[in-house]
């Protein structure tokens, strides 16, 4: 189709998406977005898609959708046009999207330059702090962060070899009892330590749900003392009064 | 105020900024030092900036106004040496996908995932997730349309990350259009 097709092949993952590819083709042909020659662009766009070996549906679906739009626009242009200026033609829509996308690209470039300038400046928090005063930097963590640490630990556990298959069943009620006792004894629970001591994935899961449930009911609070630090669980004295 | 007091106040401001991990709001320092007049405070800052930091080649820090506050940061030309000293190989940068997503959120906030994906022409779930993790964006609410999709907006960390004092420092869309028109594509919007 096009002699230049092979040159795209090396850039399989180079384009951010169909709009990026379209803009590239438009620039390559030295066109202006407003005066885009769609037949030529469509041909090159399809050639690019064809040049890719095998299609990854999750990634390429966006490319295919734009291909369908391009073909639709092309087929429409073959039909006699009803003069209706109020109706947004797909062609106009595409041009509008492209103009908007080009702005986004420029803003991204601007942000990238700003990022580059800023990365040259170092701030205090970039190197680990060593504040030991517990009161100083307690920061409540979200369930999202808790879950992240949880999955880290489960991953570690998965790599361990178990010699026996546990048939013990765990219940949330029992776990809640256990956690309350532990808190009464120690004052706080180090989340990573606590989970690391548990025997099986099943027990970890039940414990984790118990913790989430108790946090939800304001019986506990989870705090992280420093960036990337461990998460500690405390009983929430204020919450107890509410319940 | 006598010169001795001024010197002491400058020293105190520098010390506060040195200890703080995050940009400090000027108002907080003014309140603490019982300075009512913003111009008086600006004079102190200028004295600190000029005589102590910015103009002195033998100093490694300078005063930066970022995220609505004041912060001491290292001078840019020391970057490579600092990297070598702390044995940090590479500073992580945002991907193009993340930058595009941020561009849309910054200029259209609050924006939904569907709007972002639509404007970029690609599914943007992973850059949005990545930006949430980096705390450069946050969920500010839910759009009142079917499915109640989350609305995303930029955070104070976003300002700090890009060295902005507030959102007005970003060029407006009109300014951007002019900028683009003048620079490369003079006939883009004829």
């Amino acid at each position: 189709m096009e002699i230049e097709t092979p040159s795209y092949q090396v850039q399989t993952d180079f384009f951010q998406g169909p709009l990026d590819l379209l803009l590239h083709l438009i620039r390559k042909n030295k066109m202006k977005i407003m005066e885009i020659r769609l037949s030529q662009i469509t041909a090159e766009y399809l050639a690019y898609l064809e040049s890719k070996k095998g299609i990854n549906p999750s990634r390429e679906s966006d490319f295919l959708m734009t291909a369908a739009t391009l073909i639709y626009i092309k087929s429409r242009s073959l039909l006699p046009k009803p003069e209706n200026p109020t109706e947004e033609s797909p062609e106009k829509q595409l041009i509008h999207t492209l103009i908007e996308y080009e702005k986004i690209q420029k803003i991204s470039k601007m942000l990238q330059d700003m990022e580059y300038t800023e990365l040259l400046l170092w701030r205090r928090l970039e190197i680990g702090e060593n504040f030991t005063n517990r009161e100083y930097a307690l920061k409540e963590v979200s369930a999202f962060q808790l879950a992240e640490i949880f999955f880290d630990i489960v991953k570690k556990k998965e790599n361990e070899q178990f010699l026996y298959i546990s048939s013990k069943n765990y219940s949330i009620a029992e776990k809640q009892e256990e956690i309350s006792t532990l808190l009464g004894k120690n004052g706080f629970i180090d989340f990573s330590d606590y989970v690391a001591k548990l025997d099986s994935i099943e027990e970890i899961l039940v414990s984790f749900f118990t913790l989430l449930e108790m946090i939800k009911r304001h019986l506990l609070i989870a705090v992280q003392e420093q960036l990337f630090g461990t998460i500690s669980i405390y009983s929430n004295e204020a919450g107890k009064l509410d319940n | 105020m006598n010169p001795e007091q001024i010197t002491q106040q400058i020293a105190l401001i520098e010390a506060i900024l040195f200890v703080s991990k995050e940009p400090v709001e000027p108002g907080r320092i003014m309140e603490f030092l019982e300075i009512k007049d913003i111009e008086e405070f600006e004079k102190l800052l200028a004295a600190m900036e000029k005589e102590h930091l910015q103009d002195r080649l033998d100093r490694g820090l300078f005063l930066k106004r970022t995220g609505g506050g004041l912060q001491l940061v290292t001078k840019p030309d020391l970057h490579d040496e600092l990297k070598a000293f702390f044995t940090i190989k590479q500073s992580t940068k945002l991907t193009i996908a993340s930058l595009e997503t941020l561009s849309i959120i910054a200029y259209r906030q609050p924006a939904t995932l569907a709007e972002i994906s639509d404007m970029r022409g690609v599914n943007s779930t992973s850059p949005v997730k990545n930006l949430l993790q980096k705390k450069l964006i946050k969920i500010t609410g839910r759009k009142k349309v079917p499915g109640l999709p989350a609305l995303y907006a930029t955070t104070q960390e976003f300002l700090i990350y890009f060295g902005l004092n507030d959102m007005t420092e970003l060029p407006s869309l009109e300014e951007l259009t002019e900028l683009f028109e003048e620079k490369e594509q003079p006939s883009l919007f004829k």
Side-chain angles (χ1 to χ4, degrees), chain A residues 47-106:
Chain A
Y48 171 76
L49 282 198
E50 264 173 41
S51 74
K52 299 175 88 173
K53 285 185 195 111
I55 288 204
N56 169 5
S58 65
R59 227 193 98 78
E60 260 62 90
S61 57
D62 298 314
F63 282 91
L64 292 178
M65 211 181 105
T66 304
T69 311
L70 286 170
I71 294 168
Y72 174 59
I73 294 172
K74 202 177 170 186
S75 61
R76 259 175 63 106
S77 69
L78 297 176
L79 298 169
K81 274 177 217 156
E83 278 307 319
N84 189 355
T86 48
E87 194 197 342
E88 270 270 283
S89 70
E91 190 173 348
K92 270 190 193 145
Q93 265 178 28
L94 183 71
I95 287 173
H96 177 75
T97 314
L98 280 173
I99 289 172
E100 288 297 306
Y101 185 69
E102 196 177 38
K103 281 188 204 162
I104 294 167
Q105 278 195 335
K106 305 237 157 134

Side-chain angles (χ1 to χ4, degrees), chain A residues 91-208:
Chain A
E91 190 173 348
K92 270 190 193 145
Q93 265 178 28
L94 183 71
I95 287 173
H96 177 75
T97 314
L98 280 173
I99 289 172
E100 288 297 306
Y101 185 69
E102 196 177 38
K103 281 188 204 162
I104 294 167
Q105 278 195 335
K106 305 237 157 134
I107 298 169
S108 301
K109 184 76 192 58
M110 177 187 78
L111 288 179
Q112 198 172 33
D113 292 346
M114 285 158 71
E115 177 187 43
Y116 176 76
T117 328
E118 282 308 302
L119 282 177
L120 299 179
L121 314 178
W122 293 46
R123 293 140 212 277
R124 268 196 85 97
L125 61 158
E126 277 165 39
I127 298 157
E129 310 109 279
N130 48 1
F131 279 109
T132 44
N133 187 347
R134 195 170 269 282
E135 245 75 56
Y136 191 81
L138 288 186
K139 213 174 186 179
E140 194 157 354
V141 294
S142 66
F144 184 63
Q145 284 164 296
L146 203 61
E148 228 173 68
I149 293 195
F150 171 70
F151 288 121
D152 275 355
I153 291 166
V154 170
K155 247 184 231 157
K156 270 186 221 154
K157 279 271 177 195
E158 268 175 356
N159 297 333
E160 286 175 13
Q161 300 232 320
F162 291 105
L163 297 174
Y164 59 92
I165 297 163
S166 168
S167 60
K168 197 177 164 193
N169 287 316
Y170 304 93
S171 81
I172 291 198
E174 278 170 37
K175 274 284 156 196
Q176 187 168 345
E177 200 62 32
E178 188 191 305
I179 289 167
S180 301
T181 324
L182 215 65
L183 274 175
K185 222 166 34 181
N186 301 339
F188 74 98
I189 294 174
D190 182 303
F191 182 63
S192 316
D193 278 1
Y194 174 68
V195 179
K197 275 188 204 127
L198 302 177
D199 289 332
S200 63
I201 299 282
E202 188 195 351
E203 190 179 2
I204 295 175
L205 275 172
V206 175
S207 308
F208 184 62

Side-chain angles (χ1 to χ4, degrees), chain B residues 4-190:
Chain B
E4 211 172 285
Q5 269 179 306
I6 292 176
T7 318
Q8 204 203 342
Q9 288 196 326
I10 291 175
L12 183 57
I13 296 172
E14 192 181 80
I16 290 172
L17 296 183
F18 165 72
V19 175
S20 177
K21 304 188 290 184
E22 274 144 29
V24 186
E25 278 175 59
R28 268 190 70 196
I29 306 178
M30 280 172 68
E31 205 178 303
F32 185 75
L33 296 176
E34 293 176 358
I35 298 174
K36 300 254 156 41
D37 185 12
I38 183 86
E39 273 174 36
E40 194 184 323
F41 183 65
E42 286 294 334
K43 256 184 226 160
L44 288 177
L45 285 184
M48 185 172 122
E49 246 175 320
K50 287 279 158 202
E51 290 158 34
H52 298 264
L53 302 168
Q54 195 91 302
D55 289 356
R56 295 261 308 260
L57 292 175
D58 58 346
R59 293 296 308 260
L61 301 174
F62 76 100
L63 181 68
K64 171 124 188 134
R65 285 148 205 267
T66 179
L70 304 165
Q71 190 171 37
L72 288 179
V73 298
T74 61
K75 290 190 176 164
D77 43 349
L78 301 173
H79 174 70
D80 290 336
E81 282 87 345
L82 283 173
K83 233 162 83 171
F85 182 83
F86 291 107
T87 54
I88 290 167
K89 283 197 196 85
Q90 215 175 350
S91 355
T92 43
K93 294 189 188 107
L94 294 173
T95 60
I96 301 288
S98 292
L99 284 167
E100 285 186 4
T101 306
L102 256 186
S103 308
I104 296 169
I105 297 173
Y107 278 89
R108 286 214 140 200
Q109 53 189 316
T112 65
L113 176 61
E115 287 161 5
I116 297 163
S117 300
D118 198 41
M119 290 192 75
R120 290 188 60 226
V122 270
N123 184 322
S124 304
T125 314
S126 70
V128 164
K129 208 178 127 198
N130 175 26
L131 292 170
L132 274 175
Q133 262 174 338
K134 289 193 152 76
K135 297 199 171 65
L136 295 173
I137 58 169
K138 62 183 175 199
I139 297 174
T140 49
R142 307 245 158 211
K143 193 169 184 174
K144 301 237 169 356
V145 294
L148 297 175
L151 285 164
Y152 300 100
T154 53
T155 58
Q156 204 209 354
E157 274 86 355
F158 166 84
L159 295 176
I160 300 173
Y161 189 83
F162 291 102
L164 294 162
N165 205 21
D166 56 51
M167 285 308 278
T168 59
E169 285 189 7
L170 277 179
S172 73
L173 271 183
E174 291 76 39
E175 284 171 327
L176 275 173
T177 319
E178 274 171 39
L179 225 67
F180 299 163
E181 260 179 303
E182 280 166 23
K183 268 189 187 164
E184 293 147 76
Q185 281 109 341
S187 54
L188 182 56
F189 306 93
K190 56 174 187 178

